[in-house]
Structure formats: structure tokens, C-alpha cells
Amino acid sequence: MANDVKPTRKNLMAIEDRIELSERGHGTLEKKRDGLIMEFMDILDKAQDVRGDLANDYEEAQRKINMARAMDGDVAVRGAAAALQEHPEITTESKNIMGVVVPQIESSRVSKDLGERGYGIMGTSARIDEAAEAYEDLLESIILAAEVETAMKKMLREIETTKRRVNALEFKLLPDLYENQEYIEQKLEEQEREETFRLKKIKEKKEQEEKEAAAEEESDDAEAEGVEKEDMEPPATGGVPGNDD
């Protein structure tokens, strides 16, 4: 509240410094928010493409595995799956997007040649090979989708946090600081007017005292001058001297 602030020039300077800092921070956060939104929109477009590819790859994998099970039987399909010796390796790194650390997932040995799948080529059919390849494509889509979805969620959280900070500065902190600044400036102006009025009164009183002192001094001088003139006049005689009879 403005009334809780002591109206001094020191506090006014401190508030002005806070306003300047808050305005710079508000501008920086606005730029960050806008940049994050732009990055988020790019990731969102990518995520929509990845989701579409993932859905298509899943449907294709399901179609091919169902075909292999129908034509070759569950035993053959399970036997081919159990023959896999090397499993995919997943490594995660991180990258910075507008101050937000998002994961970067790398995979290796997901797609394999026929000879790397562990089952004999002669013991399986082309339908099993196609199903295996379809599931390898599906796994790569899942890994990419995990990376994009995680990045999108992190970006969204950072955008919401930045928006709250921008709103707090714009609608709470800065208005309070402006109100305190205006309150102190008004109080200081009132104090300045009161001080000016007080000094004016003091000056008028001093001038009046000086006038009175000057008038009194002039009166004393006039009185002294009158006394001096009286002292300089010759004494009065009683009559004209005559001859004695």
C-alpha cells in the first residue's frame, strides 16, 4: 500500500530504481515468452506430424503381425521374436531452447538387417520379416514421439511460468510501484509547498521587523536631532538694560 511507504527522497529514488529494473525485467520476460511461444508452435507442428506417423506405423505393424500370425502361426512369430539377441540402445542428451532444457533422445541398433535379427532366414517367411521391419519403424517413431512430447510439455510449463511472471510484473508489482512513486511525489510536493510558504512567512516577518526597526531608528534619530537643535539655541534675556536715575 502507498500509505505504508515513508515519503522521503531516499525511498523515492529506491522506488524509481525498482521501477526501472522491473520494467527491464518485464520487457525481457515478454521477449522470452514470445520466443518460447514461437518455439512451442514449431514443436507442436512437429508433434502433430510425429503423432500421425506413429498412428500410421502402429496400424501398419498391427496389420503385418496379424497377417504373419494368421499365415505362419503364433509359434513361428513368437519363435522369431525370441531369437532376437541385440536390443536397441537408447541414449539421452539435452539441448537448450530459450533457456529450457529439453531431452534429445538418440537410438541405435533399432533397424536391423535380416542376418542381425537372430532367426534363420530359411526358417521364417517374408511375412515375419515384414512384421519385424514394421515394428522396427514403429519403435523409431515411438522414440521420436517421446522426445517431441517431452520437449513440448517442458516448453508449455516454461511458457506458463513466464506468463505468470509477466502478469505479476504488469498487473501487480509495477502498478504498486507506480502508486508508491506518485504518493511520495505528491507528499514531497506538499512538503515543498509548505516549506516555501513557511520561508515566505519568515521572510515577510523579517522584512516587517526590519521596517519597524528602521522606523524606530529613524524616530530616535529625529528625536536626537531635535534635542541637539534645542541645545544650540541662545538663552532668552529678561529685558533691555537702561540708565539708573
Side-chain angles (χ1 to χ4, degrees):
M1 297 295 292
N3 295 334
D4 297 334
V5 181
K6 190 175 181 180
T8 62
R9 296 197 177 276
K10 182 179 179 181
N11 286 342
L12 178 60
M13 293 176 62
I15 288 175
E16 288 175 346
D17 291 340
R18 288 189 63 190
I19 289 176
E20 182 180 359
L21 181 62
S22 298
E23 288 176 341
R24 287 204 306 267
H26 179 263
T28 301
L29 286 174
E30 278 190 324
K31 292 179 181 178
K32 179 181 179 180
R33 179 199 60 193
D34 296 340
L36 287 171
I37 291 175
M38 293 179 63
E39 293 289 342
F40 176 78
M41 296 305 296
D42 292 339
I43 295 176
L44 181 60
D45 292 338
K46 186 177 180 181
Q48 291 175 345
D49 295 336
V50 169
R51 289 171 181 171
D53 294 339
L54 180 60
N56 293 333
D57 290 341
Y58 177 77
E59 291 178 0
E60 183 67 13
Q62 285 293 100
R63 187 181 67 80
K64 289 187 175 181
I65 194 67
N66 289 336
M67 181 64 69
R69 292 173 63 187
M71 301 300 295
D72 299 323
D74 287 344
V75 175
V77 173
R78 292 179 182 275
L84 181 65
Q85 299 297 323
E86 293 185 358
H87 297 281
E89 292 183 358
I90 305 297
T91 58
T92 58
E93 297 179 356
S94 60
K95 59 181 178 180
N96 192 303
I97 302 177
M98 297 289 295
V100 183
V101 178
V102 298
Q104 189 171 11
I105 303 175
E106 299 289 342
S107 60
S108 61
R109 294 205 295 270
V110 175
S111 298
K112 298 180 176 59
D113 295 332
L114 290 176
E116 296 175 342
R117 290 177 181 158
Y119 55 79
I121 298 176
M122 301 302 294
T124 57
S125 66
R127 290 177 293 273
I128 292 179
D129 296 335
E130 292 175 356
E133 184 178 356
Y135 270 92
E136 290 170 353
D137 293 340
L138 176 60
L139 181 57
E140 289 183 343
S141 295
I142 291 173
I143 294 171
L144 180 58
E147 176 183 329
V148 174
E149 292 287 340
T150 304
M152 188 172 63
K153 290 179 181 179
K154 283 181 172 288
M155 293 289 290
L156 185 59
R157 284 197 296 267
E158 187 65 22
I159 289 172
E160 291 297 328
T161 301
T162 305
K163 285 175 63 178
R164 285 196 297 270
R165 292 174 179 173
V166 170
N167 292 337
L169 285 171
E170 184 173 353
F171 299 110
K172 177 60 181 175
L173 181 59
L174 281 172
D176 288 347
L177 290 175
Y178 292 143
E179 182 181 359
N180 291 338
Q181 181 187 32
E182 184 179 1
Y183 169 76
I184 293 177
E185 288 176 345
Q186 290 178 350
K187 287 297 183 181
L188 291 177
E189 288 177 0
E190 291 177 4
Q191 293 175 5
E192 186 175 353
R193 287 195 297 268
E194 291 175 358
E195 182 67 15
T196 301
F197 180 78
R198 187 180 68 84
L199 292 175
K200 183 179 179 181
K201 287 297 183 181
I202 292 175
K203 183 179 179 181
E204 290 176 352
K205 183 178 180 181
K206 185 176 180 181
E207 290 176 349
Q208 182 66 27
E209 290 176 350
E210 289 177 350
K211 288 180 180 180
E212 292 176 357
E216 184 178 354
E217 184 178 355
E218 184 178 352
S219 177
D220 292 343
D221 290 344
E223 184 178 351
E225 185 178 354
V227 172
E228 185 178 351
K229 286 181 179 181
E230 291 179 359
D231 292 342
M232 292 178 63
E233 289 180 355
T237 58
V240 177
N243 295 328
D244 292 336
D245 293 339

